[in-house]
Amino acid sequence: MSKEFDRAGLPVALLTAMAPMAQMLRANRIVLGVAIPYPCGDPHLPEAEDFRLRTALVREALKTLEAEVPGPTIFEPAVLKTIPAVTY
Amino acid sequence: MEQLTVVHYLNHFFAGVGGEAKADAPVEVRRGAVGPGVPLEAHWKGRARIAATVFCGDNYYPQHAEEVAARVVALVREEKARVLLAGPAFDAGRYGFACASVCAAVAKELGVAAITGMFPENPGVEVYRGQKPETMFLVPTARTVSGMAEALSRMAALALRAGSGTPLGTPDEEGFLPRGIRTPVTVEKTGARRAVEMVVAKVKGLPFRTEAPLGSYPVVPPAPPLKRLAGSRLALVTTSGVVPKGNPDRFKTHVNTTWAKYSIAGMQRMEGGKWEAVHGGYNTEFMTRNPHFGVPLDALRELEREGVFGSLFPTYYVVPGNQVQVSDAHRMAGEMAKEMVGGGVEGVLLVAT
């Protein structure tokens, strides 16, 4: 889908946890999300922290719209490193 | 004849661990054949056996891709297996991607035959086309699990031939998808004659076979970046399947061919209880409870207030992304893009589950 937005001249930030797959399918501006069932946020965090995480992720995603990219490029938001690991 | 040793890769579902709720299950190894491995082994009538089965959850794989691939490579090495089989995955995107990726790793590192099976539109096929180690093969299957018997029979046959070192014929003869590896062969007719014959056949409406098929995932160059994000109008698109509660446009949980848009004008956040997630490809429990995971409206409003971008388009666009045909995805996004351009949108945030 992202390629059709590119084709229409609209830069598009694809926020997804499946970044390698997005790259194989040749999406251009790919932003790594948190997890497949919750790309923007983390249900294991308290509400306020989840909101802060989501805002930081979306902020970094939107910034890629200003980035010149040669082709499929994965951006890894620094904020992802701050999420505590969840044990199942 | 020597009995071939095989390792089989599955996802949590086909390994019998459970449904979507178990999609985070970490990698695990069991002795012998599991799930579809049992009928697979029956095809070989003793000429090959599954020494071990390795599997993990569909959501576990993409976040631990290297760990899982390394585990599968190590297992194939430990078992001195001559063949890795993965799947079949049919049109399951996460599973297909995992199958193709572990096969690529094993073929590349160990040079043993690595065979997977899936529907030709599965995104995993792109991994196969991109990697092309010579001992990796992808057998095309039906879209759904109803094609299991046929898929297993073809994968079993190819496993015996590839695993025993038999020189293989063309992809057509052996039943795997071509992956762009060219092998010189001698033919009677020159290229010029073959090309003219094809043109004549095409004009007459007769069947013909191209020798240079076009790829199905076209490369589209990135749109130029925004000059100034701070003044730009943006639209939000999501494949998460977040729709108003009650699913007014009757989206299905899979293979949707239509999209919808819903107003977010004047709204500061996605109120709980007013929305639900319709999607058969992931556990929608979290998303239904907090739709911001797929429609991050609260964050977008915050950034809009801060002046990070200009303004948000008053509707968001949605199609539940599960098992959508690639051709339909292109068409639907094209339709959305046309409308957005008409509405003054300059950039897009696409959230994909």
Side-chain angles (χ1 to χ4, degrees), chain B residues 45-245:
Chain B
K45 299 188 171 66
R47 284 177 290 171
R49 67 177 181 96
I50 294 173
T53 303
V54 52
F55 52 88
C56 75
D58 274 339
N59 287 349
Y60 187 86
Y61 179 79
Q63 284 157 28
H64 306 81
E66 283 176 20
E67 175 211 325
V68 178
R71 186 73 193 87
V72 177
V73 168
L75 183 65
V76 171
R77 191 183 279 135
E78 284 160 25
E79 299 292 343
K80 298 189 173 60
R82 303 275 291 279
V83 179
L84 170 73
L85 284 172
F90 306 101
D91 70 347
R94 291 170 297 179
Y95 187 23
F97 187 73
C99 283
S101 302
V102 297
C103 280
V106 165
K108 213 183 285 176
E109 290 196 29
L110 305 177
V112 305
I115 300 164
T116 181
M118 65 191 73
F119 185 60
E121 277 206 32
N122 190 309
V125 172
E126 195 62 5
V127 178
Y128 175 62
R129 295 220 164 101
Q131 300 278 340
K132 356 183 155 163
E134 292 209 9
T135 58
M136 178 178 172
F137 305 96
L138 189 150
V139 173
T141 72
R143 166 185 277 281
T144 68
V145 72
S146 66
M148 180 66 92
E150 166 81 10
L152 292 182
S153 144
R154 295 173 73 169
M155 288 170 73
L158 184 57
L160 280 186
R161 289 176 59 78
S164 60
T166 313
L168 295 181
T170 65
D172 253 13
E173 291 159 7
E174 302 291 348
F176 61 88
L177 275 191
R179 53 214 154 137
I181 293 176
R182 293 180 184 185
T183 313
V185 291
T186 308
V187 292
E188 279 180 17
K189 294 173 184 169
T190 64
R193 187 172 287 274
R194 300 200 304 279
V196 170
E197 284 177 0
M198 271 185 236
V199 172
V200 171
K202 182 169 184 172
V203 170
K204 284 184 176 168
L206 297 172
F208 68 96
R209 288 267 313 275
T210 177
E211 292 177 15
L214 295 173
S216 59
Y217 291 106
V219 175
V220 176
L226 295 175
K227 286 194 182 66
R228 206 174 142 260
L229 177 62
S232 296
R233 181 166 230 214
L234 305 181
L236 174 65
V237 182
T238 186
T239 65
S240 61
V242 169
V243 296
K245 195 167 175 59

Side-chain angles (χ1 to χ4, degrees), chain A residues 1-26 28-29 31 33-44 47 50-51 54-72 88, chain B residues 24 58-59 62-63 93-94 97 123 126-127 131 217-230 234 237 239 269 282-283 286-287 290 292-293 296 298-300 302-303 306 308-309 319 329-330 333-334 336-337 340-341 345-353:
Chain A
M1 289 182 73
S2 75
K3 288 190 287 189
E4 290 300 327
F5 297 120
D6 274 319
R7 206 196 295 278
L10 301 170
V12 47
L14 173 56
L15 207 168
T16 177
M18 301 193 71
M21 189 195 236
Q23 191 173 38
M24 294 286 178
L25 296 175
R26 303 202 159 273
N28 288 310
R29 293 175 173 89
V31 182
V34 177
I36 292 171
Y38 39 89
C40 311
D42 187 339
H44 306 94
E47 199 178 316
D50 171 51
F51 172 68
R54 178 160 46 257
T55 307
L57 272 174
V58 173
R59 185 192 303 271
E60 295 202 37
L62 297 188
K63 279 189 182 153
T64 69
L65 297 175
E66 278 184 320
E68 190 83 56
V69 292
Y88 294 95
Chain B
D24 291 305
D58 274 339
N59 287 349
Q63 284 157 28
R94 291 170 297 179
F97 187 73
E126 195 62 5
V127 178
Q131 300 278 340
Y217 291 106
V219 175
V220 176
L226 295 175
K227 286 194 182 66
R228 206 174 142 260
L229 177 62
L234 305 181
V237 182
T239 65
R269 49 183 291 111
Y282 73 94
N283 178 0
F286 298 116
M287 191 67 78
N290 185 357
H292 291 113
F293 294 139
D298 56 350
L300 283 163
E302 169 68 22
L303 297 169
E306 286 178 25
V308 172
F309 67 101
V319 55
H330 278 283
M336 293 175 194
M340 287 174 191
V341 170
V345 170
E346 294 155 282
V348 175
L349 174 64
L350 169 56
V351 178
T353 43

